[in-house]
Amino acid sequence: MNGTLYRWSSLILRKMAEEINKVEHRSSPTTTVAKSRSFWPSVLRWIPTSTDHIIASEKRLLSLVKTPYVQEQVNIGSGAPGSKVRWFRSSSNEPRFINTVTFDSKEGSPTLVMVHGYAASQGFFFKNFDYLASRFKVIAIDQLGWGGSSRPDFTCKSTEETEAWFVDSFEEWRKAKNLSNFILLGHSLGGYVAAKYALKHPEHVQHLILVGPAGFTAESDGKSEWLTRFRATWKGAILNHLWESNFTPQKLVRGLGPWGPDLVHKYTTARFSPRYSAENVLAEEESRLLTDYVYHTLAAKASGELCLKYIFAFGAFARMPLLHSASEWKVPTTFIYGVQDWMNYQGAQEARKQMKVPCEIFRVPQAGHFVFLENPDGFHSAMLYACRRFLSPHPDDEPFPEGLQSA
């Protein structure tokens, strides 16, 4: 993102408002016209998506997975008991739901709960479900405000409230599913949420797996001189203002209206093009279905995405870094990074020095931030080794996977 992109996005949003005003001006004279507009097919809507579209695109994407699964909307109520934060700051008792998929598994398999990252949803793990379901009881969720889950108005005003939004909603989901003693995996922002959950509810988590987790370092921890210098430039000042104004990439997608799918297609094509190996990350059909899924999850109502400025300062530095809580860790932890991940594994190394529980750090070659998509075989090897004490009768005899790096 830069100054040019800012001007471009502002123009898009202005044009969107003009188009909406035109439609409203033409259709405002009678109640009959207003009623008929609600039945417009999606192709005629400015933003051609809905919750039904999200679930349908998820189903199409997961048709690539051979393992049978059950999709359900798990009722988490209107707010966590005893919490000052309702999911939507309303006097209404309207329940909210967490979109959940559970895959068939062998009886007695350890339970693995998977939590996605920012601007993603559980479908991003589609290339991993078959392999992992052969070893684990795999349950994947869309966090509150993301994917096919409920999207309450996001009105949190602090880091503490924002963390409660995600951690407490996950705990209500756990209660509704009657789960305990599970392995908890979180990617990127989902890693931050998973770690915060394990700090608050360690009794339910057997093992914590953090995949390219966000939120380990703060701007005050040093190594941010470049950010101070950049913020002093006019471009940095604009971007910092956008960040503090809670401008999100999803607003660009919505602003483009019916042209949003094309922007998302360009993003997914570029993001998952061969970078770290000669092979394509996604086959043609995978790319098409993932692009469709990503569009519908990004273009839907803004909710969980608005957490960004409360959890991170400009530059993606955590406002309440996990590093500062490392000495309080009570759950054995494995970190998994792609070798080219832009998330710095050195934050995990610093945290490990303060931890009083077992901690391993693995780096997967030929992969970046989306290690589970970019090198699924390497990611699966890291997963099996990380969970060897749950999967093998002789965990200490398991050989270290070839190609995997231990940090």
Side-chain angles (χ1 to χ4, degrees), residues 12 286 345:
I12 290 169
E286 291 174 337
Y345 72 95

Side-chain angles (χ1 to χ4, degrees), residues 48-327:
T49 193
S50 66
T51 302
D52 289 342
H53 281 83
I54 294 173
I55 299 301
S57 65
E58 173 190 283
K59 187 174 181 179
R60 289 190 292 270
L61 180 63
L62 295 187
S63 70
L64 300 173
V65 180
K66 297 181 176 61
T67 307
Y69 69 92
V70 174
Q71 182 267 335
E72 60 181 328
Q73 294 286 343
V74 177
N75 189 335
I76 61 169
S78 60
S83 172
K84 296 178 181 178
V85 182
R86 282 183 176 269
W87 310 138
F88 49 105
R89 285 186 179 276
S90 168
S91 58
S92 167
N93 289 320
E94 177 186 356
R96 300 293 169 164
F97 299 87
I98 296 292
N99 186 40
T100 306
V101 291
T102 303
F103 292 85
D104 286 2
S105 61
K106 298 175 184 176
E107 188 175 350
S109 298
T111 300
L112 172 66
V113 177
M114 305 180 74
V115 183
H116 63 82
Y118 187 85
S121 301
Q122 51 84 6
F124 270 67
F125 297 115
F126 77 95
K127 295 187 77 169
N128 315 111
F129 287 143
D130 278 330
Y131 186 91
L132 295 177
S134 68
R135 274 85 173 170
F136 303 90
K137 178 182 178 181
V138 175
I139 306 175
I141 68 164
D142 289 335
Q143 296 191 74
L144 183 66
W146 294 99
S149 292
S150 297
R151 291 176 178 245
D153 293 338
F154 188 89
T155 51
C156 298
K157 300 298 182 185
S158 69
T159 303
E160 291 82 2
E161 286 187 356
T162 304
E163 289 182 358
W165 163 286
F166 291 111
V167 171
D168 291 353
S169 61
F170 184 85
E171 171 62 3
E172 292 310 298
W173 171 84
R174 183 203 65 78
K175 290 177 184 176
K177 291 291 288 180
N178 193 27
L179 288 175
S180 194
N181 297 322
F182 54 88
I183 300 165
L184 179 58
L185 178 150
H187 171 243
S188 198
L189 173 66
Y192 179 89
V193 172
K196 291 287 183 175
Y197 177 84
L199 282 164
K200 188 173 182 179
H201 301 284
E203 67 278 10
H204 300 305
V205 183
Q206 287 182 306
H207 195 86
L208 186 63
I209 300 177
L210 304 180
V211 183
F216 265 85
T217 56
E219 186 176 346
S220 59
D221 291 341
K223 302 180 182 179
S224 61
E225 295 85 357
W226 65 271
L227 183 63
T228 303
R229 292 194 299 270
F230 178 67
R231 193 184 281 137
T233 67
W234 67 270
K235 288 183 179 180
I238 290 175
L239 291 177
N240 185 63
H241 175 73
L242 283 173
W243 186 280
E244 295 300 331
S245 300
N246 231 349
F247 184 87
T248 66
Q250 291 89 328
K251 290 181 180 178
L252 267 182
V253 175
R254 296 185 196 101
L256 280 168
W259 295 278
D262 184 56
L263 176 66
V264 173
H265 172 70
K266 290 178 180 177
Y267 163 75
T268 55
T269 300
R271 180 63 187 81
F272 299 112
S273 61
R275 293 185 178 192
Y276 314 119
S277 69
E279 298 180 4
N280 287 328
V281 175
L282 301 174
E284 184 176 348
E285 180 72 353
E286 291 174 337
S287 179
R288 183 182 69 80
L289 293 175
L290 181 62
T291 296
D292 176 56
Y293 175 71
V294 170
Y295 169 72
H296 289 298
T297 59
L298 295 186
K301 174 188 172 181
S303 181
E305 73 191 63
L306 300 176
C307 72
L308 205 58
K309 80 165 190 174
Y310 296 106
I311 292 181
F312 303 108
F314 180 56
F317 291 101
R319 297 189 187 276
M320 295 180 67
L322 290 165
L323 180 60
H324 295 177
S325 304
S327 62

